[in-house]
Amino acid sequence: MSLDRKVAIVDLTTGKIDIKAIPLAVRKQFLGGRGLAAYLLYNYSKPGCDPLGPDNAVIFSAGILGGMLASASARTDVMTKNPLTGLLGSGNFGGFFAPELRYAGFDHIVVIGKAAKPVYIFVHDGEVEIKDAKNLWGKTVTEAQWAVREELGDPDVKCAVCGPAAEKLVRYANVMTGIKNANGRGGGGCTMGSKNLKMVAARGTMDIKIAHPHEALEFDKRFIEQITSAKVNQTMGVLGTPFIWGATNSWGGIRTNNFQFNQLLNADPIEPEEIDEWSKESMGSEYNMSACFGCQVHCRAKYKIPDTPLARKYGLVGKYDEGPEYTSQGAFNGEPGCTGLDTLLMGNHLVDQYGVDNLEIGSTISWAMELYEKGILTTKETDGLDLRFGNDDAVIAMIHHICKRDTWLGDVLAEGGIRASEKIGKDSFKLLIHMKGMQNLHSDERATPALALNLALASRGSDHLRSRPAIDLYHLPVDVMRRIYSSPVAYDGPLSSDHTEYIGKPWQVAWHENCYMAVDCLGICKYHTTFLGATLPNFEDWAKVLYYNVGLEMTPKDIWDVAERSNMVERLFNIREGMKKDDPFKGEILAERYFTEPCKRGAPDVIGKKIDKPKFLEMRALFYKYKGLDENGVPTPESLKKYGLENLDKEPLRI
Amino acid sequence: MEAKVLMINHEKCTGCRRCELVCSVFHENVANPSKARIKVEKWEWEGLYIPMSCKQCVDAPCMNVCPVKAITRDDAQGLVSVDNDMCIGCRSCVAVCPFGAMNFNPMMKKVFKCDLCDGDPQCVRFCDMKAVDFVDVRKESLSKKRDAAFKISEAKKLGATIQYEG
């Protein structure tokens, strides 16, 4: 049977480990990955708990296809109550951890309580142990993984590990695996740090039975061809995610100098082709890409940091890393207005080693830069650091200070934007670009209302991977859009292929929210879905891949329902933890600057654009309607009943 | 015609390990890389990934060392095979293989190795990068000669430039 993986509930306070089976009924309701993680978090974290206290839970969750025959079936969701926002915290990484966890016999590790001293959890072939992490504590992300492999005498141990930033309780510390696979959002690393948990290490040699092996192999071959034949994936396989930078920046879709501009000028040194060239040169090979488990897209470039004055100053010359992604380009170049390739490569390397969210730290530093230029912060608060935009050195210095909390400003910014704004005072909060307390990606959505709506509604706070209907920008013919957005449930409302439009967008956002939730439950990568192209796999394909591998007979509509239900549980969690739709701190509303400041740079269809607030609120109301929510964004009793969630608070725990 | 061989170019490998996955599914009907006949050895911290598999050696040490003659080579197919009925699980072949290509299944108490999937190696079929390829060894040798010659000529040009400038 393919569905024999288990859940381990590990209480670090008592040292008690409970190993439980996953009932088939629960599987059919949530599949795995993020969906089941949401269900587990709802049940295993105490309502209203302190995210940094023992009552919070942190859940490591492999998708139901993890390690099986589906391209890039390698995603792990880590879910917790986010120390940064107090709402849902969830991040998703690729790499090799999820397959290894499943080969070790487990789908989910639920960690509660708090250890008295640093520990790590070792999962291997059906067993779970809590082990002493004295020799791992204080180590960087790669050092710690290296050390545990040495200790266990096995180079194939895979780790979900937190870095020094998590130990210092930086509120946006990541969980990491491998060199650079980051659970980039949600503060899971910080929760691990608060529990004295350095890592979950996994090693497994157990079979996962494939339900229909011959058919699975043949279908997988076609599935892969479908994925790799898309131009977008071919490009990504050469240039990595930075390939979108050139187009987005010249168009004016990048947030620069915090939010003052929307295009980085003189950005030639960090164009994707430049990064690619450096990557090839520094690795001494024309083949320079690395991949997650079983993935043909291979979107990460390998590189070594060049010998530059700045790299020499920080002792980083020749250090190996992977990436640098589109997000790092924004975090360390676009937002702080820096154009150095070495700044990008070093920034990327440092966040990987400290284990901190590149997006959050880059945005936070850039926000501080705007405060500095506007006189709200002075050299007194910055310890003499010249925090002007375009100061590459200051960006690298601030990454260190935040992760080590060794200066006043570093310590304050480690608390995240909202808490920092309370300490800094004046008008600092008004300049913060956040939704639900989470800073935004470096992108600028003022010309794309659909993407802006996604930001405000994302369950884990401002986010580009919860729904983002990015195919909006491809200007697909409406009949093609109709085909995508009318399946697997009928939709005959308006649709518009104009990215600046407001009509039709609420449905697109609602549709993509379910699409990405489904993918996260399956545990495969979003680059292999309609996120990037109309021809890429969809609900129909997932039903087949699920059947051939796992043997579960589910229709595309059944998978849609799983996604709808899982999204609803995430929403219920947020509501339980205090989300109110118009709350400027925890609400489903854009930062005010989206409504008041027009775009200053970019293409003619971008310049002058801002989000129309009444239209935005209309979109949100329609989204609520599509989702079966009332006017406040709360699931109606009928919707709860429809998805079997009416007794979520009262019913006995089914796992 | 010479039998084809598995040729590995580790420079092309992205380290995804799909070869391990499809190998285990094809042979054992399960997803389990530890039962794969091919394995990607990885030095993650340097970005070095090297797939290791059986070379189907002509003068195969595993075959030579086998005390019960359970291992034989078919020259026409270029394939070294283990007869499971004869294998006594002594693991001499595991010890002697210079590439670690012979594996031991502790449940079956037998050794197992790459069998080229009846002439259609799944690792090759699923490797998008062609880091693992199934080729005619003479053709491969010719193309390697050509690549190496090209590199040497480039190096010469580079050397000449440095001499000229220096």
Side-chain angles (χ1 to χ4, degrees), chain A residues 552-570:
Chain A
L552 265 186
E553 286 185 63
M554 292 179 87
T555 63
K557 173 66 165 52
D558 292 338
I559 298 176
W560 170 275
D561 287 344
V562 166
E564 195 80 295
R565 180 181 297 111
S566 305
N567 276 319
M568 209 163 268
V569 174
E570 287 195 346

Side-chain angles (χ1 to χ4, degrees), chain B residues 115-126:
Chain B
D115 60 2
L116 298 176
C117 304
D118 306 324
D120 184 16
Q122 299 298 302
C123 50
V124 174
R125 189 170 169 234
F126 279 88

Side-chain angles (χ1 to χ4, degrees), chain B residues 13-105:
Chain B
C13 179
T14 64
C16 85
R17 297 172 55 202
R18 174 160 285 268
C19 50
E20 298 177 27
L21 177 62
V22 294
C23 184
S24 68
V25 176
F26 184 82
H27 288 98
E28 315 275 352
N29 294 340
V30 296
N32 185 353
S34 70
K35 287 190 177 166
R37 281 101 177 116
I38 186 167
K39 165 127 187 354
V40 184
E41 286 302 329
K42 294 178 80 164
W43 279 262
E44 241 179 336
W45 326 116
E46 286 82 17
L48 199 59
Y49 321 132
I50 307 183
M52 296 298 290
S53 184
C54 174
K55 312 278 184 194
Q56 317 291 351
C57 305
V58 175
D59 186 14
C62 56
M63 177 171 68
N64 296 339
V65 81
C66 181
V68 294
K69 302 279 172 240
I71 303 177
T72 52
R73 187 175 197 277
D74 179 332
D75 286 338
Q77 291 183 64
L79 180 67
V80 175
S81 326
V82 184
D83 185 332
N84 257 351
D85 294 336
M86 291 166 76
C87 175
I88 54 172
C90 74
R91 287 155 288 185
S92 301
C93 53
V94 178
V96 81
C97 175
F99 305 101
M102 190 63 82
N103 312 280
F104 183 67
N105 183 332

Side-chain angles (χ1 to χ4, degrees), chain A residues 162-203:
Chain A
C162 69
E167 294 174 18
K168 288 275 179 192
L169 302 181
V170 176
R171 285 187 185 260
Y172 38 92
N174 282 350
V175 189
M176 306 284 299
T177 187
I179 299 286
K180 92 138 290 120
N181 292 99
N183 224 289
R185 300 296 253 168
C190 184
T191 309
M192 283 175 79
S194 75
K195 294 187 177 306
N196 271 330
L197 175 66
K198 184 66 178 177
M199 68 165 72
V200 177
R203 177 74 176 109

